Amino acid sequence: MMKSAALGISALLLVTLPACAQDYVPPRGDANWEARDPADMGLDPDALQAAIDFAIANETSPPEGWEGIDVRDLSLMVPLTWAFEPHSSPLGELRPRGEPSGLILRDGYIVASWGELERVDMTFSISKTFLSHTIGLALADGLIADVNDPVSSDVADPLFHTEHNTPITWDQMLRQTSGWWGTLWDKPAWADRPARDNPARDLVAGPPEPGSAWEYNDVRVNALALAGLHVWERELPDVLAERIMDPIGSSGTWEWHGYENSHVTLNGEEMWSVSGGGHWGGGMMLSAYDQARFGLLGLRRGNWGGEQLVPEDFYTAATTPTDVMPSYGYMNFFLNVPGDERAAIAVEEAPSSSFAYLGAGANMIYIDPEHDIVAVVRWIDSAQRNEFIRQLMAAIEE
């Protein structure tokens, strides 16, 4: 049954805390997350509700000709969506997803919520943002000396030591400009999102020169996850839990999956190399509450209640435009660039400093540092993301 789409303030436990607004971070236990009336936080309640109603009304729907298909059955929707690809068969878990859901924060406080906030759902490419954070932590710890170093200087796996792949840098991998070439977990790089009218296009063209072209390619993302596993010599979900998810008070219900065939042996121990998205199943699965906590960490540039969990310079680099794709920083930081026809976030009414973590489905964690806002929106039609942001901006009064 669809839960109430009302702002839901009365349904949340209100806790009085003495912290200043700009310093507030939610305590452990989502029921203890303080909620405030949007009007008291400089937001127009009616306009805010209109944005929420818009998100719910624009739930992802089946494409034309797919009428009658259960869009929430991802075990069906994902294979159908990518059926045109060579090597398109799923390798990881594809679980049913829930109803449209979300949270809106201002100054860290909940000002609106709707849907199934505790449900652990797939997030698809938002998994990439968690991945890039683990690489940022490896840089901070000195496991990677410099982001401009070749990955091959830190990773012994032969996949990174071919003639083409040897010079590829960590920065290029993070920006999805690496052009990494090879086959990983039975998926060739050329077979990911080829031209629909010519599936052999990328195979015929061969690998692009590293750094010369931006391409959203999950084989290359998964290669970065494998490289991260090598430098950490620990499974990345363990690193994420210890360094980020536990300190920010996550629910502990989140799961980060790999594929049925993505196990490797390092130092005599079998480890699971996770995926950077749900393109073939797997990836990060978590609640809307946990997405909101992670978004708040990004808003605060890695600082959580006075503790710098992730170096601030990671966020500076992650939000620096990529030369060949100015609306993209590190994976999966989508920058707000109105007027750029390739930009996923292009909203003139929103600050140029705003950005989002995006995933299919569609999933969005929108971050607006100028207005101290985080918005988690799950299962909205991707074509309507920008309009939701516009409506959210229209709700800001001060």
Side-chain angles (χ1 to χ4, degrees):
M1 180 179 297
M2 179 71 75
K3 295 183 179 179
S4 171
L7 295 181
I9 301 301
S10 61
L12 295 164
L13 178 62
L14 299 183
V15 180
T16 301
L17 294 175
C20 296
Q22 295 295 327
D23 297 329
Y24 175 78
V25 292
R28 191 175 302 277
D30 294 324
N32 299 320
W33 198 326
E34 184 174 354
R36 291 192 172 181
D37 189 291
D40 294 337
M41 301 300 291
L43 299 168
D44 179 339
D46 292 335
L48 191 59
Q49 186 63 57
I52 293 169
D53 292 343
F54 177 84
I56 294 170
N58 285 278
E59 178 182 359
T60 305
S61 58
E64 184 178 353
W66 293 21
E67 290 78 11
I69 291 176
D70 182 2
V71 73
R72 298 183 184 180
D73 182 359
L74 298 181
S75 68
L76 181 62
M77 285 297 296
V78 171
L80 280 174
T81 299
W82 301 108
F84 74 95
E85 286 189 350
H87 304 272
S88 63
S89 299
L91 293 172
E93 182 178 352
L94 290 165
R95 61 178 58 170
R97 58 92 165 170
E99 65 190 45
S101 304
L103 281 162
I104 298 174
L105 313 179
R106 190 160 205 198
D107 298 342
Y109 302 100
I110 296 175
V111 293
S113 64
W114 66 100
E116 302 170 289
L117 303 180
E118 296 181 349
R119 182 185 176 101
V120 175
D121 265 348
M122 296 182 68
T123 62
F124 292 89
S125 283
I126 291 180
S127 309
K128 295 174 175 60
T129 319
F130 290 95
L131 171 58
S132 63
H133 275 66
T134 66
I135 302 301
L137 290 172
L139 282 158
D141 285 12
L143 300 176
I144 301 169
D146 190 298
V147 74
N148 295 306
D149 285 347
V151 177
S152 58
S153 66
D154 300 302
V155 177
D157 191 303
L159 287 170
F160 296 91
H161 289 264
T162 65
E163 182 178 355
H164 177 78
N165 292 342
T166 295
I168 291 171
T169 67
W170 290 100
D171 186 76
Q172 290 165 347
M173 294 289 280
L174 285 163
R175 295 186 181 280
Q176 297 194 196
T177 62
S178 70
W180 189 93
W181 196 252
T183 297
L184 183 62
W185 319 134
D186 296 333
K187 303 294 186 182
W190 62 264
D192 189 330
R193 297 173 178 86
R196 288 177 181 262
D197 60 348
N198 180 12
R201 180 196 63 186
D202 291 349
L203 176 61
V204 171
E209 180 183 352
S212 67
W214 181 87
E215 183 177 331
Y216 212 71
N217 184 298
D218 275 37
V219 175
R220 293 166 186 158
V221 171
N222 292 337
L224 178 61
L226 176 62
L229 178 63
H230 274 270
V231 296
W232 277 107
E233 298 184 333
R234 299 173 59 193
E235 291 187 348
L236 298 187
D238 292 341
V239 175
L240 186 71
E242 178 186 309
R243 300 290 290 274
I244 294 178
M245 299 304 281
D246 289 348
I248 67 175
S250 77
S251 64
T253 60
W254 60 275
E255 307 166 28
W256 194 359
H257 290 230
Y259 304 138
E260 59 191 22
N261 63 341
S262 64
H263 292 85
V264 298
T265 300
L266 288 178
N267 301 326
E269 181 180 353
E270 185 178 86
M271 299 184 187
W272 204 13
S273 188
V274 291
S275 90
H279 190 66
W280 298 295
M284 176 62 77
M285 307 177 190
L286 76 170
S287 72
Y289 281 122
D290 285 348
Q291 284 182 301
R293 287 176 183 269
F294 186 62
L296 186 58
L297 180 71
L299 178 73
R300 302 284 169 79
R301 297 176 68 84
N303 191 286
W304 193 264
E307 183 180 359
Q308 197 70 39
L309 301 180
V310 183
E312 186 172 1
D313 59 9
F314 167 78
Y315 296 94
T316 300
T319 54
T320 297
T322 296
D323 289 344
V324 294
M325 186 65 169
S327 62
Y328 198 79
Y330 283 171
M331 67 172 71
N332 198 23
F333 286 71
F334 288 86
L335 313 181
N336 181 30
V337 185
D340 184 339
E341 63 181 15
R342 293 195 297 169
I345 302 297
V347 183
E348 290 184 359
E349 296 84 348
S352 59
S353 60
S354 62
F355 58 96
Y357 310 147
L358 302 179
N363 282 263
M364 175 170 69
I365 303 175
Y366 170 74
I367 298 172
D368 179 349
E370 182 173 315
H371 296 114
D372 214 345
I373 284 175
V374 173
V376 173
V377 186
R378 304 208 288 185
W379 315 121
I380 186 174
D381 185 330
S382 61
Q384 302 303 326
R385 286 184 304 229
N386 285 332
E387 179 58 29
F388 172 84
I389 295 171
R390 289 187 191 95
Q391 295 199 22
L392 178 60
M393 294 298 100
I396 299 173
E397 295 185 316
E398 61 182 59

